[in-house]
Amino acid sequence: AQSVTQLDSHVSVSEGTPVLLRCNYSSSYSPSLFWYVQHPNKGLQLLLKYTSAATLVKGINGFEAEFKKSETSFHLTKPSAHMSDAAEYFCVVRGSGGSYIPTFGRGTSLIVHP
Amino acid sequence: DVKVTQSSRYLVKRTGEKVFLECVQDMDHENMFWYRQDPGLGLRLIYFSYDVKMKEKGDIPEGYSVSREKKERFSLILESASTNQTSMYLCASSLRQGPVYGYTFGSGTRLTVV
């Protein structure tokens, strides 16, 4: 069994300040973890993924995430928010056993103030 | 880049109509998926397909069916549309089964049933 919890439904930051979007997961198997971004009225776009290589993963647009097995976390960060980062972000876990069907978090809406 | 194309961005249909949502991917991906996305509920899996003519029920298959006659095309069918099927529908594809493979999403179809 697997699950993913995004700890905040909304995160509000000012432009130029750091971004932290939190994600905890559970998985019976060694998981792969993903972050996707969805801009308004668009499909989801892959930001980055962890697949058991380096625990610090760098993605597009300056985002990165760190896999922490002891904390079962995969938080998404960015040093400095830009207005164009305002979007919905989804954390996704995909286990290495079973049917490999991924489980999506409910999403975190990132609001960026000028 | 892999492209997943959903034939319609916006659709308005009447209650009781049979509705077809089409999805085409252009990179020979084995797996295809249909999700619906509703505010506060995240993405919920309706059906998925591992290969041509294969289909599996997801978490919320009731009221829906699917067809995959060719590898590149995965159709979602609402046999008799109802107002509670008003939603954003997202199609996705993945190269193959396995935890390391991410999804490529289409831009979505926003369906309104009146």
Side-chain angles (χ1 to χ4, degrees), chain B residues 59-98:
Chain B
D59 300 319
I60 53 164
E62 295 78 19
Y64 303 94
S65 62
V66 290
S67 172
R68 195 168 181 200
E69 295 297 317
K70 294 185 177 182
K71 194 171 187 178
E72 67 270 19
R73 184 181 297 270
F74 192 38
S75 303
L76 180 69
I77 304 157
L78 286 65
E79 297 291 343
S80 177
S82 64
T83 54
N84 63 12
Q85 293 178 309
T86 292
S87 187
M88 169 71 95
Y89 290 87
L90 291 167
C91 176
S93 70
S94 178
L95 180 60
R96 56 178 62 92
Q97 291 189 59

Side-chain angles (χ1 to χ4, degrees), chain A residues 5-21:
Chain A
T5 302
Q6 291 183 243
L7 297 166
D8 306 292
S9 59
H10 296 85
V11 170
S12 183
V13 301
S14 297
E15 191 174 20
T17 64
V19 174
L20 171 63
L21 305 183

Side-chain angles (χ1 to χ4, degrees), chain A residues 30-34 36 38 40-46 49 51 88 90 94-96 98-102 104-107, chain B residues 9-10 31 33 35 37 40-43 45 48 50 88 90 94 96-108 110:
Chain A
S30 299
S32 292
L33 293 152
F34 306 79
Y36 287 84
Q38 185 182 32
N41 296 313
K42 303 277 186 171
L44 279 71
Q45 179 186 16
L46 181 65
K49 66 178 180 180
T51 57
E88 191 87 9
F90 292 92
R94 196 171 194 184
S96 58
S99 66
Y100 307 118
I101 297 301
F104 284 76
R106 293 198 171 191
Chain B
R9 289 300 308 275
Y10 300 94
N31 304 162
F33 306 82
Y35 287 87
Q37 183 180 18
L41 297 178
L43 274 70
L45 181 63
F48 60 99
Y50 287 133
M88 169 71 95
L90 291 167
S94 178
R96 56 178 62 92
Q97 291 189 59
V100 302
Y101 298 104
Y103 280 3
T104 300
F105 280 87
S107 297
R110 188 168 293 280

Side-chain angles (χ1 to χ4, degrees), chain B residues 3-16:
Chain B
K3 280 194 175 171
V4 177
T5 303
Q6 293 183 233
S7 54
S8 304
R9 289 300 308 275
Y10 300 94
L11 274 180
V12 180
K13 297 291 182 181
R14 295 192 181 277
T15 301

